[in-house]
Amino acid sequence: SQQGEEDPQALSIQEGENATMNCSYKTSINNLQWYRQNSGRGLVHLILIRSNEREKHSGRLRVTLDTSKKSSSLLITASRAADTASYFCATVIQGAQKLVFGQGTRLTINP
Amino acid sequence: DAGVIQSPRHEVTEMGQEVTLRCKPISGHDYLFWYRQTMMRGLELLIYFNNNVPIDDSGMPEDRFSAKMPNASFSTLKIQPSEPRDSAVYFCASSLAAGTGDNQPQHFGDGTRLSIL
């Protein structure tokens, strides 16, 4: 089964609004990463948050991590049409050396 | 800088044929990963290499799948014989480290869309 589970599976909002996506995981992790995938393209790394960090920012992106609840959230502020894509969380499990991806959230920004 | 390069971008072939997918990782990266993406199963790790050596092939579906990395700049994923259920998008990714202690991100190619008729 997938280590990461994103919620919601699909999200549609108006341009300029904020978009929040959530990710839950099952086992202890070293870090959690968020990736974006545009249609027909490969995944692009957005941001990495370590297990000892609680919040991280990168431009319009804000990621939080709650290891006690085994969950993370990705917030995109002031969304743009170009943000339309699928977003995946991926965890690096302690003791393992590979990423395990969730099923993704499909985000649509309506102009 | 050139990213991860995969070829071909699209492949359509009949079941039973041999399929070879190719990947050129980013120069200097010492980890290479092969993934498969389908609607039903999402993104699955098939196998990964460290310094050209296969480390974990537990995700390879069956003996029909094989992967090689003869040098630091080239890897292949082969399916022989191919079956319709192998239809998927296959991604190659590379990184400086596998993402544990070094916490490095992975860089993905644009994938090969494989259709087995």
Side-chain angles (χ1 to χ4, degrees), chain A residues 31 35 41 50 92 96 98, chain B residues 37 56 99-100 103 106 110:
Chain A
N31 67 71
Y35 287 78
R41 304 297 300 273
R50 294 178 173 80
V92 180
K98 55 189 180 183
Chain B
Q37 186 177 39
D56 184 347
T100 53
N103 293 329
Q106 294 183 15
D110 281 336

Side-chain angles (χ1 to χ4, degrees), chain B residues 76-110:
Chain B
T76 60
L77 177 68
K78 188 171 293 187
I79 308 173
Q80 167 62 21
S82 58
E83 297 182 4
R85 60 193 168 120
D86 302 330
S87 297
V89 182
Y90 291 81
F91 288 101
C92 175
S94 68
S95 76
L96 287 170
T100 53
D102 290 345
N103 293 329
Q104 293 293 328
Q106 294 183 15
H107 299 259
F108 283 73
D110 281 336

Side-chain angles (χ1 to χ4, degrees), chain B residues 10-101:
Chain B
H10 303 273
E11 175 90 9
V12 180
T13 191
E14 293 185 347
M15 65 177 295
Q17 297 297 309
E18 178 178 290
V19 173
T20 300
L21 311 180
R22 298 172 175 79
C23 174
K24 177 179 171 57
I26 293 173
S27 177
H29 283 190
D30 45 12
Y31 280 84
L32 183 139
F33 306 83
W34 282 101
Y35 292 89
R36 178 173 68 178
Q37 186 177 39
T38 62
M39 289 294 292
M40 289 295 295
R41 301 177 66 87
L43 196 64
E44 303 173 281
L45 176 65
L46 301 177
I47 185 172
Y48 77 91
F49 295 82
N50 178 24
N51 293 324
N52 313 339
V53 176
I55 302 300
D56 184 347
D57 66 354
S58 60
M60 295 286 261
E62 47 197 275
D63 291 345
R64 297 183 298 104
F65 286 69
S66 63
K68 294 181 180 180
M69 192 165 186
N71 57 63
S73 59
F74 184 66
S75 177
T76 60
L77 177 68
K78 188 171 293 187
I79 308 173
Q80 167 62 21
S82 58
E83 297 182 4
R85 60 193 168 120
D86 302 330
S87 297
V89 182
Y90 291 81
F91 288 101
C92 175
S94 68
S95 76
L96 287 170
T100 53

